[in-house]
């Protein structure tokens, strides 16, 4: 009987460790994206709040007319800003160095992953494999 109680306590402790993260994930997924209105709190006459910008780790939006780089998560925004400021094509090694990262394979691969995602979603151009540049109208101040 005592072994069964110990197993029950272990199972209950494991369950408790899963409940809080599950609630946190549900709350995060329910938050509005950048520029969208937050859901109403139910108070009458209260205006919904605007979400100011993207948070780290947020989804990269597909580029469309009028969408500014500040709608990107900070890492992606910095990448676009560095490319826009350079005004030229850059490979991922140079881009990593320009971002202040060590040009080691792990860092370069992280930059490549972000640059590829930005290119696939219309923020950057990749005219030659591994060479990225900002498309007209998509950089900072455009």
């Amino acid at each position: 009987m005592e072994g069964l109680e110990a197993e029950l306590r272990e199972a209950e402790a494991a369950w408790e460790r899963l409940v809080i993260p599950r609630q946190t994930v549900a709350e995060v997924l329910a938050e509005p994206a950048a520029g969208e209105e937050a859901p109403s709190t139910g108070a009458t006459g209260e205006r919904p709040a605007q979400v100011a910008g993207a948070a780290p780790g947020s989804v990269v939006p597909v580029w469309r007319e009028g969408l500014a780089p500040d709608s990107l998560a900070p890492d992606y925004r910095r990448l676009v800003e560095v490319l826009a400021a350079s005004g030229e094509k850059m490979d991922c090694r140079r881009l990593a160095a320009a971002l202040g990262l060590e040009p080691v394979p792990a860092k370069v691969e992280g930059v490549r992953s972000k640059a590829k995602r930005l290119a696939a979603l219309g923020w950057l151009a990749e005219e030659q494999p591994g060479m990225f540049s900002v498309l007209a109208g998509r950089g900072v101040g455009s």
Side-chain angles (χ1 to χ4, degrees), residues 38-110:
S40 175
T41 58
T44 56
E46 189 174 310
R47 291 177 40 207
Q50 285 282 340
V51 177
S58 63
V59 176
V60 177
V62 175
W63 186 86
R64 62 185 180 279
E65 190 67 38
L67 192 59
D70 63 350
S71 64
L72 296 169
D75 289 344
Y76 291 93
R77 182 176 37 241
R78 281 187 53 221
L79 204 150
V80 171
E81 289 170 352
V82 165
L83 278 170
S86 77
E88 59 185 46
K89 294 178 187 175
M90 285 188 167
D91 67 3
C92 294
R93 184 173 290 279
R94 272 187 58 206
L95 199 47
L99 289 166
L101 302 172
E102 289 184 54
V104 296
K107 301 291 184 182
V108 172
E109 193 54 41

